[in-house]
Amino acid sequence: MSGEAFFLPADKGYRFCLFTPAVGRVEKAALIYIHPFAEELNKTRRMVALQVRALAESGYSVLQIDLFGCGDSSGDFGDTTWETWGQDVALAFQHLRQRTRVPIWLWGLRAGCLIDGVSAPSLPEKVNLLFWQPILSGKVLLQQFLRLGQAGALMDEAGAKGTGSRLRAELAAGRSIEIAGYRLSPALAESLEKAVLVPAGGGDVSLIWIDVVRREVADISSATTAQLANWASTGLRVEYQTVLGPAFWQTTEIEIAPALLDRTLATLEKAA
Amino acid sequence: MPCLEKKVLEQALNIQIEVLEILDEVLSLKGRAQQFSAATVLLGALPELDSMGVLGVISALEERFGIAVEDDDIDGTTFSTVGSLVAYVSGKLNPQVA
């Protein structure tokens, strides 16, 4: 099994894609994978590669796309807009639809889930969703970015007190800020601040949401419970699961969560 | 209130155990954190505690203790030692004592 790497012509350049076809004769479904951002993108490559391989071997094709300004695609992160990323998802969808007639899933990790969720309603057909440890609020995503900036400032002698407010003030003044080597434009920050995910369901589609936890927890957080109810109320079939494993998107060393790989496949097999 | 003090002391010990677990998991220390004491210096002394590490520890603290870390709390003094990090979490859990 090998992936096919190619560049899709797009607005403002091209997007790097990797298509891994289902092994064997039966293609059960096809997934479009949307990555998380900044350092999380690098930390999670291994887990995603492992999952893609396991999926392909079980009859699922996967199209991975690097969004504008990310990975090997055109553009600079600092020049991206929220709308461009949405168009990239639509582009990936069009491309995948030309290749296959099977049901399509949008699979996201962390911030990728937010982009999936926001993009799904404007696609020409209903799609299924697979969320890994989702960040579903643009506000939270922006806060994580700013925190990374603050944490970076901790490393400089002076300490980070006030860094958060300083970064926010820069953005408010219409200036880009640089965090961990990524330039965050005031336009993107503003879009993130406002990005609210409005679940759109209906039709014969599913949402699978899997969180990775460090230990068994009795209760689902109230924020997650509310989100799940919100999605279910749109008529979507909602399946929420937790698996034990390391927070591989942020651990210092590249780690894997084998339970997530197995559970994802098992849950997809039931839903697809 | 000696009774309350004892309770707070016990809680602080439990918090320290959990904080060390979090450091070990998030920073991939492979058990090294179990040798840490309250006086162990973190920031600047522990190479694994880079900016992503700090972010990971904050997320894990929020998740594990159900606290909300404010922007202004992300400060060199909070992350300077195991003891300062534990004191920070205790303060969040017991605002009246801190």
Side-chain angles (χ1 to χ4, degrees):
Chain A
M1 177 205 67
S2 62
E4 174 198 341
F6 58 97
F7 292 100
L8 265 186
D11 185 31
K12 293 181 275 185
Y14 55 82
R15 304 295 176 269
F16 178 74
C17 295
L18 183 63
F19 180 71
T20 309
V23 174
R25 288 183 175 202
V26 181
E27 187 186 32
K28 296 171 186 163
L31 296 86
I32 296 167
Y33 172 72
I34 304 297
H35 55 75
F37 293 117
E39 208 42 47
E40 290 189 2
L41 169 57
N42 300 320
K43 302 252 181 201
T44 53
R45 285 188 203 282
R46 176 120 191 272
M47 263 301 283
V48 172
L50 290 172
Q51 186 70 75
V52 169
R53 189 189 307 166
L55 285 167
E57 283 167 358
S58 298
Y60 298 88
S61 303
V62 183
L63 176 65
Q64 295 168 257
I65 180 169
D66 285 353
L67 299 175
F68 179 85
C70 301
D72 292 315
S73 286
S74 302
D76 184 89
F77 191 85
D79 297 325
T80 197
T81 62
W82 193 236
E83 291 71 28
T84 306
W85 284 342
Q87 288 160 12
D88 286 354
V89 176
L91 180 72
F93 177 86
Q94 279 166 18
H95 177 80
L96 190 57
R97 200 22 107 220
Q98 283 167 13
R99 283 183 181 255
T100 181
R101 296 309 311 160
V102 296
I104 289 180
W105 290 71
L106 296 185
W107 164 29
L109 171 55
R110 308 279 292 153
C113 303
L114 177 62
I115 294 180
D116 283 343
V118 169
S119 311
S122 40
L123 294 178
E125 61 187 82
K126 302 263 186 215
V127 289
N128 303 281
L129 299 165
L130 168 62
F131 289 169
W132 272 8
Q133 197 74 26
I135 296 180
L136 293 178
S137 146
K139 232 187 171 90
V140 170
L141 182 59
L142 181 62
Q143 188 200 29
Q144 298 252 340
F145 251 119
L146 296 176
R147 273 186 177 181
L148 189 59
Q150 280 184 283
L154 277 186
M155 306 302 140
D156 313 331
E157 298 296 306
K161 217 167 190 88
T163 303
S165 337
R166 187 178 55 75
L167 292 174
R168 283 188 190 273
E170 288 285 311
L171 289 171
R175 286 188 290 268
S176 293
I177 56 174
E178 178 135 343
I179 292 173
Y182 292 85
R183 191 161 54 85
L184 180 67
S185 71
L188 181 60
E190 197 188 338
S191 304
L192 285 177
E193 189 78 52
K194 285 191 290 202
V196 180
L197 208 158
V198 182
D204 189 27
V205 286
S206 301
L207 162 66
I208 297 174
W209 172 332
I210 308 179
D211 279 340
V212 181
V213 295
R214 293 161 226 258
R215 57 170 67 169
E216 277 318 336
V217 278
D219 301 313
I220 309 175
S221 83
S222 56
T224 302
T225 310
Q227 273 284 354
L228 290 170
N230 208 357
W231 287 94
S233 71
T234 65
L236 214 65
R237 283 186 303 274
V238 178
E239 178 73 35
Y240 176 76
Q241 308 245 350
T242 58
V243 293
L244 286 181
F248 62 90
W249 54 93
Q250 59 186 190
T251 47
T252 300
E253 284 184 20
I254 304 298
E255 302 210 29
I256 57 167
L260 178 59
L261 300 175
D262 296 343
R263 188 70 67 86
T264 299
L265 194 54
T267 314
L268 261 180
E269 294 275 74
K270 267 196 285 173
Chain B
M1 287 187 289
C3 189
L4 179 66
E5 272 172 29
K6 188 166 173 258
K7 232 176 110 184
V8 170
L9 208 67
E10 270 174 19
Q11 193 200 33
L13 272 177
N14 289 331
I15 292 172
Q16 179 160 328
I17 291 168
E18 295 216 38
V19 164
L20 292 183
E21 273 178 23
I22 286 171
L23 288 171
D24 209 81
E25 284 170 15
V26 175
L27 305 179
S28 312
L29 298 178
K30 306 196 164 52
R32 266 160 57 213
Q34 301 318 317
Q35 316 298 323
F36 290 0
S37 71
T40 304
V41 178
L42 298 175
L43 208 60
L46 194 61
E48 289 86 351
L49 192 64
D50 58 6
S51 53
M52 269 301 275
V54 169
L55 199 66
V57 170
I58 292 171
S59 310
L61 291 174
E62 289 189 320
E63 187 188 308
R64 184 79 57 92
F65 294 104
I67 58 176
V69 175
E70 310 291 335
D71 279 2
D72 282 346
D73 298 346
I74 304 173
D75 180 68
T77 54
T78 310
F79 284 88
S80 93
T81 62
V82 169
S84 67
L85 198 53
V86 171
Y88 169 71
V89 174
S90 308
K92 279 281 179 188
L93 294 173
N94 309 288
Q96 74 284 6
V97 183

